[in-house]
Amino acid sequence: MTEVQKLQLEILIKLDEVCHRHQLRYYLAYGSCLGSVRHQGFIPWDHDIDVLMPIEDAKKLSRYQTEFGKRYFVRSRETDCSFGSIGMHVVDRSAELYVKRGNKILEKTNPYIDVYPYYDCPRTKAGLVFKVWHSHLYKILVSGVPQNHGIISKAAAGMALLFFRKKNRERDIRRLEEGLSYKRKSDSICDYFGEDVSLCSAITYDKNWFSKPKKMLFEGLYFDGPTEPDKYLTKRYGNYMTLPPVHERNSEVRYELIKNGVNQ
């Protein structure tokens, strides 16, 4: 493990502790779930930890901020009005790092792990498409016009923003946030984030795959993962046990820990 990965693991340990104390559900997800199954820890060329939480539990997490101590901070739109994301971070405030691409510094930040809420989703395809559009608009209002998703997406997002007055932005965000929740009987879940979501569709997962958490080995410790990690990973990645080609294993972005003003 790198020094940054060690710090991220310590954040995960604290998250696990607080969640178990208050019966909050979380699951290793994305590359962290894949890394647990395939490598029993971090994917060697990966640099982060991702977890999923039911939206109702994710909303409760910041209530227990004091239990994370002075070192850790649950960062969300509720706790930091400048946070431009619809997910959450659990941040280690005791350290700083540079996020770099090549020799260019992209940002200076603290080590953190990503916490993504997931939602029950409609049982019909039309209902799901409506929620997907809803999620795109929500992300645009929270994060602004996307810069890395092509000219068409950028133009569409800019047009969408014209229909929402800036002074009412927070009210509209709250309404959209509430609208993403599905209150009726549901057989599946969706997180409405990242590569799982396109313009009119999203990958959904059987709700039973995220019922009782399964203990999964990650860097010598056990954490909560999906009830059915094989089914989740197969739907998410296909033949997930096959390693990607060598040229795809090195991330363009890397983290460099800062100690006493010196890169490590």
Side-chain angles (χ1 to χ4, degrees):
M1 280 191 293
T2 66
E3 289 187 276
V4 173
Q5 288 172 332
K6 289 177 182 177
L7 293 173
Q8 291 170 327
L9 182 62
E10 290 172 6
I11 301 172
L12 181 60
I13 291 169
K14 176 57 72 171
L15 175 67
D16 176 82
E17 174 190 314
V18 174
C19 285
H20 280 229
R21 184 180 301 136
H22 296 285
Q23 291 77 55
L24 303 180
R25 293 162 292 168
Y26 82 89
Y27 307 88
L28 293 178
Y30 305 117
S32 299
C33 184
L34 174 57
S36 175
V37 173
R38 198 169 66 190
H39 305 277
Q40 290 74 58
F42 286 98
I43 296 174
W45 51 91
D46 202 3
H47 53 69
D48 57 10
I49 291 178
D50 303 310
V51 304
L52 285 172
M53 293 186 73
I55 181 60
E56 59 270 22
D57 287 354
K59 286 181 176 180
K60 296 175 184 176
L61 192 61
S62 58
R63 298 179 189 175
Y64 305 111
Q65 179 65 68
T66 57
E67 297 187 34
F68 282 90
K70 294 182 179 180
R71 177 177 175 181
Y72 301 111
F73 177 60
V74 180
R75 192 177 186 211
S76 68
R77 297 193 68 255
E78 298 293 329
T79 61
D80 181 354
C81 62
S82 68
F83 189 51
S85 173
I86 59 177
M88 303 169 68
H89 291 166
V90 182
V91 178
D92 182 348
R93 295 189 285 195
S94 72
E96 291 185 308
L97 55 83
Y98 287 129
V99 181
K100 302 180 74 174
R101 178 181 288 116
N103 293 321
K104 182 180 180 181
I105 297 175
L106 302 180
E107 65 173 323
K108 182 180 179 181
T109 186
N110 304 100
Y112 64 85
I113 65 173
D114 285 302
V115 177
Y116 296 110
Y118 69 76
Y119 302 78
D120 286 354
C121 58
R123 305 177 78 177
T124 66
K125 185 175 181 179
L128 178 62
V129 170
F130 178 76
K131 292 291 184 183
V132 168
W133 289 347
H134 209 109
S135 74
H136 287 310
L137 186 55
Y138 177 43
K139 284 181 278 190
I140 290 168
L141 291 186
V142 170
S143 305
V145 176
Q147 300 300 313
N148 301 312
H149 296 280
I151 296 175
I152 295 177
S153 293
K154 188 174 180 179
M159 288 293 293
L161 285 174
L162 294 177
F163 292 93
F164 294 88
R165 301 181 67 179
K166 192 171 184 178
K167 70 176 184 178
N168 297 327
R169 185 70 51 83
E170 194 60 34
R171 180 203 65 187
D172 294 330
I173 287 172
R174 296 293 181 188
R175 289 177 177 176
L176 288 165
E177 188 175 52
E178 179 63 26
L180 280 177
S181 298
Y182 185 71
K183 307 298 185 182
R184 301 177 185 177
K185 181 176 174 59
S186 176
D187 300 321
S188 57
I189 64 167
C190 179
D191 61 23
Y192 299 118
F193 290 94
E195 295 177 3
D196 284 8
V197 184
S198 65
L199 183 61
C200 297
S201 65
I203 299 176
T204 62
Y205 306 98
D206 191 307
K207 198 172 182 179
N208 291 325
W209 299 353
F210 290 84
S211 52
K212 183 179 179 180
K214 178 179 179 178
K215 291 297 181 183
M216 301 183 69
L217 185 63
F218 191 91
E219 298 297 343
L221 300 170
Y222 284 92
F223 299 98
D224 293 352
T227 315
E228 300 281 357
D230 176 69
K231 292 179 180 178
Y232 163 68
L233 290 171
T234 298
K235 188 162 189 181
R236 181 72 179 80
Y237 296 107
N239 185 11
Y240 62 88
M241 292 301 289
T242 300
L243 294 175
V246 174
H247 68 274
E248 294 181 7
R249 297 182 194 177
N250 293 320
S251 173
E252 291 184 4
V253 175
R254 71 181 190 277
Y255 292 174
E256 289 187 3
L257 192 64
I258 303 170
K259 286 187 177 179
N260 299 320
V262 179
N263 294 8
Q264 300 294 311

